[in-house]
Amino acid sequence: MRAWWLAGAAGLALSGCVTSGAVDQGTPIAAHDDRSEDARVADLLARMSVERKVAQLIQPQINSFTAEDMRRYRFGSYLNGGNGGPYGEEFAPASEWLRLADEMWEASTAPMPGGEPVIPTMWGTDAVHGHTNVVGATIFPHNIGLGAAGDADLVRRIGEATAAEIAATGIDWNFSPTVAVARDDRWGRTYESYSENPELTARMGAALVEGLQGRKGSEEFLGAGHVISTAKHFFGDGGTEGGVDQGDVNGDIDELIAIHAAPYPAAIAAGVQSIMASFNSVNGRKMHGNGPLLTGLLRERMGFDGVVVGDWNGHGQIAGCTDANCPQALLAGLDIYMVPDDWRGLMESLTAQVRDGTIPMARLDEAVRRVLRMKMRAGLLDAPRPSARAIGGDYALLGSADHRALAREAVAKSQVLLKNDGTLPLRGGQTILVSGVAADSIGQAAGGWTLTWQGGRELTNDYFPGATSIWSGIRQASEAAGATATLSPDGSFTTRPDVAVVVFGEEPYAEFAGDRTNLVLSDEEGLKLLRKFEADGIPAVAVFLSGRPMWMNRELNAADAFVASWLPGGEGAGVADILFGRSPASGRLSFSWPEQCGGAPLNSAEGALFPVGFGRALGDTSPLARLDETCGFLADGSAVEWFVNGRLGANVAASAGTTDLPNLRGQAGGIVARGIDNQRQEDAREIAFAPGAELTLRQSGAGAGAYRISYAIEGRPTAPVTLRIGGSELDITPQIENASGKSWREMILTEECVAELGDSVTIASDGALTMRIAKITRQDLPEGTKCSF
């Protein structure tokens, strides 16, 4: 690796020549240390106190500490969370991100008392589809779209552009690529996966590593304009039961490794410097504390020698751990704790555990050695402050014309044409009506992890300077082709158009907020518009925005052409390039497309409407047979209401022990139930369980159908939680633990996990527990629907 920082360090004023942690105090930072990697790290370790070693393993978030804290404690790294921005402003301009980077670097490199070495800190960020935490950065398609493009060179170029924009703002480390092999599309992070196919995922992930870091063995590797990359999440995140985020992955371990660990050897061969541990469990053991896999598989079998970093308080989910106390994670093979807020308590507990022998000094040194080695390889031990580096402060790189052109190319290549009766391509001379609220929403097209953690349609286009909505792209293409385009979100018109384009889909989400129990799109705005145009005899093109394949039989029937657009990001002109035939329709499915609505995993052509690899060329106008529109999950009036809109249904009673709770309110038998607001005034209940309390809901008369319970858990359970239904008793403690702190979820109970559904449900908690309930219904669901929590 070349001394890439010299380009920015040349000619620095005296104030820029601060001392480097990797060299003796008083030595200018430009004086590169040419000792071997091992010798240099050994020298640093020999001069570090236990406290400073532990600090290298602590990674807090920027909103929970100050520069003075950095100066005092010398954290090895820090991060910005999905909703975190410099100085508490998540929409801060790029200059503020760089100012904070300089401030933290300067605090971490201030002279240390007692002769201890000064070691610069490093900043990590989630730039998962461009440097999209920063206003004005280029917004690339999410990975699911890049998987459909299937172009590794394109992904590599996206990595290079993203790294340059990250480095311009002073950030050193990217928590990307996600190399999850998503096998259940109900998972809320499916769009972060390139494919259900491990080989395709491995190829794309390795390409992004090369783009972010530079090619291993070349002069560019971790050089100017490149950043440290992270393959995540090791491993199994895409294989949880029911697609539940952070849930359980179960099965034969060799079969699981063959699918879910398959992308990691390719990333390691590409030189990835860090790997992030996953939230999920594998066969009942949380990955953050899974020594046989974090150490045995990753280190010993795969040969990884870089840093294993934790995910957001993931160590706190290990049995016997808290966010502030968890030696188990370090002993299992974690090197850096991502501890957003409880960093003080964790530093204190780890330091004490090293001193009392709970954590051997050799294990502490091993972890610190890996962190120092990664910093050394990235040139961070010798580099000047971020603003003085080669491209530090080059804000013109953010959203540059070249980067936006690359994003537009990626959008066009990612579009998958599923149906076309000849309506496409759009042509000159046509009058085109563009409808749907998503048509002119860059926020919806970009999806989650865009400016905020969850993203959102509420982020108006003003938040995306220089970006282009799908509507704007169509308008520009229409003008160039000699067509006339009009925007009408509700589909109304005064002059009959020749063709309509309907842009619709999922609202943005991230992580567990996107978990689903089926693959039905509940928002029927697009369906209604397509059916309206069908009834009017107006040919209609569906442009579907989604983070996963979904059951679209009704929309496919109503549309004359259908484009799976995924989450294309900020260059809507790339969508227009396909609609007008300016680019070939080359996108191909990287996930099986479902024929049924229930969401059961496919991962093969069996049961798929369209298999992996499917996608039409624009000239393919072969007809698509009419599709079955029946689905047991549709709101067709068949649901029996047990608790809806704050009221118990007919013949439904609630009780705590032997005492009734009229309308699920009041206090009895260790239960306190009170009304809370969910979507309207007091339409939900908060249920507080004392240790040993039980809540029962019962309907008199014959009951029928699966139970669907909308619920949320406030805090992690302190003791076992059980569910009694019919003649069965289920230990649901792991599911309740996983649901804690994750807003509203849906529990589905079918005969797949309960022998007899009966006419009552009892929830019992051996310890204190707070549960919220918004809705309980019973409904006949499609045959084979599995239980989910």
Side-chain angles (χ1 to χ4, degrees), residues 6 10 42 88 106 168 174 180 185 189 209 213 218 245 321 357 363 373 375 399 485 557 565 628 640 651 746 786:
L6 286 174
E106 288 166 359
N174 187 16
D185 300 341
R189 304 189 79 159
V209 169
Q213 295 188 164
S218 72
D245 190 44
C321 284
R363 174 63 192 114
R373 188 166 55 210
K375 290 183 177 183
N557 283 339
S565 192
D628 182 6
V640 176
N651 302 317
E746 185 176 44
K786 292 190 175 184

Side-chain angles (χ1 to χ4, degrees), residues 508-525:
Y509 52 80
E511 299 192 45
F512 50 79
D515 286 357
R516 300 287 181 263
T517 54
N518 57 65
L519 292 179
V520 177
L521 181 65
S522 58
D523 184 349
E524 295 189 345
E525 177 218 16

Side-chain angles (χ1 to χ4, degrees), residues 42-61:
D43 176 65
L44 291 171
L45 274 172
R47 294 188 286 134
M48 293 173 70
S49 66
V50 170
E51 289 82 1
R52 295 291 79 78
K53 290 178 180 179
V54 168
Q56 287 298 307
L57 313 186
I58 300 296
Q59 186 180 90
Q61 64 149 326

Side-chain angles (χ1 to χ4, degrees), residues 5 11 53 56 73 86 95 133 176 222 233 245 326 373 386 427 454 485 528 543 557 563 610 658 702 743 764 767:
W5 45 266
K53 290 178 180 179
Q56 287 298 307
Y73 296 104
S95 58
N133 289 291
S176 176
L222 292 171
H233 309 80
D245 190 44
C326 192
R373 188 166 55 210
R427 296 174 290 277
Q454 295 294 320
K528 291 174 181 177
V543 176
N557 283 339
V563 178
F610 306 114
T658 59
S743 190

